Amino acid sequence: MNGLWESTLGTMRAKLHEETFSTWLEPIRFDGLEGRTVRLRIPNRFFADWISARYLTDLLEPLRQHAGRNDLEVSWVVDASLQDQVSSAGQVQAPSTETARGTLQSTLPPALAVPERRVTARAARAPGRELRASAELPLDGAPVARDTRVAEPAAADEAYALNPRYSFENFVVGGSNQLAYAAAVAAGSSPGRRYNPLVLYSKVGLGKTHLVNAVGHRVREDRPGARVLFLSAERFTNEFIWALQHKRIEEFRTRYRVACDVLILDDIQFLAGREQTQEEFFHTFNALYHADKQIVVTSDVDPKHIPEMTERLVSRFQWGLVADVQAPELDTRIAILQKKAEAESLHLPSEVALLIAQRAQNNVRELEGTLLRLAVLADAQRRPIDLELARTVLGGGPPQGRDARQISVEDVQRAACEFFQIGLRDLLGDRKHRNVSIPRMIAMYVCREHLDLSYPMIGARFGNKDHTTVMNAHRRIAALIGEDERIRRALESIEQKIGLA
Ligand code: ADP
Ligand code: MG
């Protein structure tokens, strides 16, 4: 049955722009055909909305053709474990990493609490299986909660494939990322010479993975035969453990120490506490370094501050260049939006770009997410992306009045109760009646949008609800804003009451 999906993908690949294909089609997993329903797993809800709005007809055609029936339908199943493979574009309404961690931490015994985000995101789907996998892999300092299958070193180099969307050409340079960008260009243009190792660190969503992919592309362009290995530290860890278990360590070492010209290891904070893998990486590092091979790593904090990272590894990092990436300034944010709009063939008026850029200040992923959300809505409502639409999506104008940091969950709850004329007990309770459930969802939505709190944190403050309740609330309200004038007005009033709009 997989043949059906593969043939469909083949047709779609030929139809769509490469970037579109890798962003939207590649992450989809085919789960089989049941009757006339094709089950497809996707990383988050937003994917379904986006694909349904733009590519569904295109997708159904080859599916129907290859399956030989005209009544095929698609059903979407959200699978957060696919999140990892998604470029930022699809991450708009994804559960925050913290959410995923929340889920897993509560299902795992304390000894197996996993300190890493990605793993937990993946593990959130099938904790039972992950648990077994962890229990079988006690070799390293910290547990590895993931599917053992992926730990096997991939035979083909495709497994180390760079993301085609991440090049220097489509990276927007500004004061916040100038140094990292220049260093990355230098490392890509003369690998092993100028900045070795190159270490980039920043908070999430600021372009590290993008930049290091661009390094890889640049090396390959200049030297087509170069062996560039790009992988996450998590994967390095798992391959290492797999190799130990299967007595294939020599092969592993050849791959990373000898048969490699450029090693790009993403998110090395994953190595925290994993002594044995750190040791292995230390020797890998030395071997490559002494052979003048380029090493590039990224981390979500300054490597000096990664907990339980051996001193000798940290000091190796200082041999080269350690550069941080800051959140982009307003002008850079606008330029990024414009570039993104261009890539997606969207018409983005400058006043809308300005509004989005004023709103999404911390993170490029958020910026892109807002733009795409707007695009989906515009598409669905068959109208252009304009200021009016942007205001509805963003809920009011640029931030004014009170600083969101001064607003508490209680402020939001009080404002919602006042507006809807209901009691706090109902707002925090479990009653499902619309009269109380809509206010509750709106209040949760406001908290999530403005208070910088994770879904589990918000759930806890609303009568100890599960994070999925908050996620659903957020998603429903986000969808309703565009459709229901009353919801929009309620939101605006509540935001006004607490001084946000
Ligand atoms: P990180 O690895 O730091 O978490 P990513 O590299 O995944 O961040 O970047 C998140 C998203 O933002 C990606 O889609 C990336 O292309 C985009 N991005 C970040 N910075 C820039 C930039 N300066 N110009 C263009 N796109 C950017
Ligand atoms: Mg990254």
Side-chain angles (χ1 to χ4, degrees):
M1 227 350 115
N2 237 332
L4 168 62
W5 184 240
E6 270 155 26
S7 328
T8 303
L9 280 185
T11 311
M12 294 298 283
R13 191 191 287 274
K15 260 194 201 172
L16 298 175
H17 195 269
E18 181 185 328
E19 236 182 74
T20 309
F21 182 83
S22 67
T23 308
W24 301 109
L25 275 300
E26 247 167 22
I28 303 177
R29 293 290 168 271
F30 176 70
D31 257 359
L33 178 63
E34 276 176 35
R36 61 192 195 96
T37 308
V38 181
R39 298 175 62 82
L40 299 178
R41 269 189 294 135
I42 40 161
N44 57 60
R45 213 46 251 166
F46 180 72
F47 249 78
D49 294 344
W50 182 257
I51 296 170
S52 300
R54 313 201 113 200
Y55 310 115
L56 191 60
T57 328
D58 280 350
L59 183 65
L60 276 172
E61 194 186 300
L63 270 175
R64 288 175 174 164
Q65 193 189 343
H66 294 302
R69 55 187 296 178
N70 270 331
D71 58 348
L72 279 198
E73 281 178 2
V74 167
S75 106
W76 305 108
V77 182
V78 175
D79 176 356
S81 71
L82 297 174
Q83 199 59 46
D84 235 19
Q85 304 156 28
V86 186
S87 65
S88 66
Q91 292 192 335
V92 187
Q93 302 196 352
S96 73
T97 48
E98 219 165 329
T99 317
R101 178 160 41 205
T103 329
L104 188 73
Q105 301 294 24
S106 54
T107 36
L108 286 181
L112 289 180
V114 184
E116 212 273 342
R117 297 198 198 84
R118 296 244 178 115
V119 178
T120 49
R122 193 178 285 117
R125 183 163 169 258
R129 192 180 71 202
E130 304 297 342
L131 261 175
R132 276 197 302 283
S134 326
E136 284 163 12
L137 299 171
L139 290 162
D140 204 358
V144 177
R146 67 176 292 170
D147 193 327
T148 40
R149 274 174 309 162
V150 271
E152 183 169 359
D157 284 346
E158 284 153 34
Y160 302 96
L162 300 166
N163 187 331
R165 302 173 59 236
Y166 295 161
S167 64
F168 286 130
E169 287 68 35
N170 60 17
F171 189 84
V172 175
V173 187
S176 58
N177 55 32
Q178 216 164 21
L179 173 65
Y181 173 83
V185 171
S189 309
S190 38
R193 298 253 176 78
R194 293 279 292 285
Y195 301 122
N196 201 18
L198 171 65
V199 180
L200 301 184
Y201 73 93
S202 78
K203 295 192 182 134
V204 295
L206 295 181
K208 301 180 294 292
T209 299
H210 187 138
L211 276 176
V212 299
N213 270 272
V215 171
H217 287 305
R218 178 58 56 87
V219 172
R220 287 221 182 114
E221 280 156 26
D222 293 355
R223 294 152 234 248
R227 293 161 300 182
V228 177
L229 296 186
F230 165 78
L231 73 167
S232 65
E234 176 192 355
R235 170 144 169 202
F236 182 85
T237 305
N238 289 303
E239 285 193 12
F240 171 59
I241 293 172
W242 187 92
L244 281 179
Q245 285 187 325
H246 293 81
K247 308 212 166 17
R248 306 269 285 273
I249 198 70
E250 282 316 310
E251 225 172 277
F252 177 89
R253 289 184 177 148
T254 306
R255 173 181 299 273
Y256 291 108
R257 298 185 191 183
V258 185
C260 169
D261 298 316
V262 176
L263 177 63
I264 306 174
L265 208 56
D266 206 7
D267 290 320
I268 51 146
Q269 73 277 356
F270 182 81
L271 299 185
R274 294 180 154 83
E275 275 168 40
Q276 214 180 334
T277 312
Q278 283 183 28
E279 163 106 21
E280 182 65 26
F281 178 58
F282 177 75
H283 294 297
T284 308
F285 183 104
N286 290 340
L288 292 174
Y289 185 87
H290 292 300
D292 290 331
K293 304 292 176 64
Q294 179 71 42
I295 302 149
V296 180
V297 303
T298 74
S299 163
D300 69 0
V301 287
D302 185 336
K304 278 198 297 247
H305 300 131
I306 300 177
E308 297 178 75
M309 191 70 147
T310 60
E311 195 45 50
R312 55 184 190 162
L313 207 42
V314 173
S315 77
R316 285 290 188 282
F317 293 151
Q318 314 292 337
W319 288 0
L321 181 82
V322 180
D324 69 335
V325 184
Q326 298 288 332
E329 308 79 359
L330 183 68
D331 285 351
T332 312
R333 298 203 295 277
I334 294 174
I336 292 174
L337 280 168
Q338 273 155 352
K339 193 142 224 166
K340 189 79 196 166
E342 210 175 288
E344 298 280 342
S345 314
L346 300 170
H347 177 68
L348 178 70
S350 53
E351 67 273 17
V352 178
L354 174 66
L355 181 64
I356 303 176
Q358 281 170 331
R359 280 314 190 85
Q361 301 190 346
N362 305 319
N363 178 317
V364 179
R365 214 163 260 164
E366 190 187 335
L367 208 60
E368 295 182 341
T370 312
L371 174 63
L372 290 180
R373 197 162 58 180
L374 259 179
V376 169
L377 258 185
D379 245 31
Q381 302 181 5
R382 299 188 197 295
R383 57 184 282 186
I385 298 181
D386 56 18
L387 210 47
E388 195 194 333
L389 185 70
R391 287 224 172 91
T392 41
V393 168
L394 294 167
Q400 296 163 354
R402 274 168 83 182
D403 181 338
R405 273 168 300 193
Q406 300 162 4
I407 297 167
S408 68
V409 175
E410 286 72 24
D411 290 336
V412 176
Q413 292 170 341
R414 207 173 304 126
C417 286
E418 268 173 34
F419 180 84
F420 288 104
Q421 294 290 302
I422 61 170
L424 187 63
R425 186 185 297 212
D426 271 334
L427 190 80
L428 306 188
D430 295 318
R431 277 180 50 214
K432 301 259 183 313
H433 194 281
R434 260 184 90 81
N435 285 351
V436 292
S437 68
I438 295 278
R440 188 183 300 136
M441 288 194 290
I442 290 185
M444 287 173 168
Y445 177 89
V446 173
C447 291
R448 177 63 190 170
E449 285 290 299
H450 298 292
L451 300 196
D452 196 22
L453 294 173
S454 68
Y455 293 115
M457 282 149 99
I458 297 169
R461 307 283 289 277
F462 277 77
N464 257 335
K465 298 208 171 34
D466 193 69
H467 71 275
T468 52
T469 310
V470 186
M471 272 165 63
N472 286 333
H474 185 270
R475 190 181 306 142
R476 281 194 58 191
I477 297 301
L480 284 174
I481 293 173
E483 295 165 10
D484 192 331
E485 175 70 27
R486 287 164 308 172
I487 300 274
R488 200 155 58 224
R489 276 210 224 103
L491 256 178
E492 276 169 17
S493 307
I494 291 169
E495 285 170 350
Q496 244 164 28
K497 264 186 207 296
I498 53 178
L500 272 170

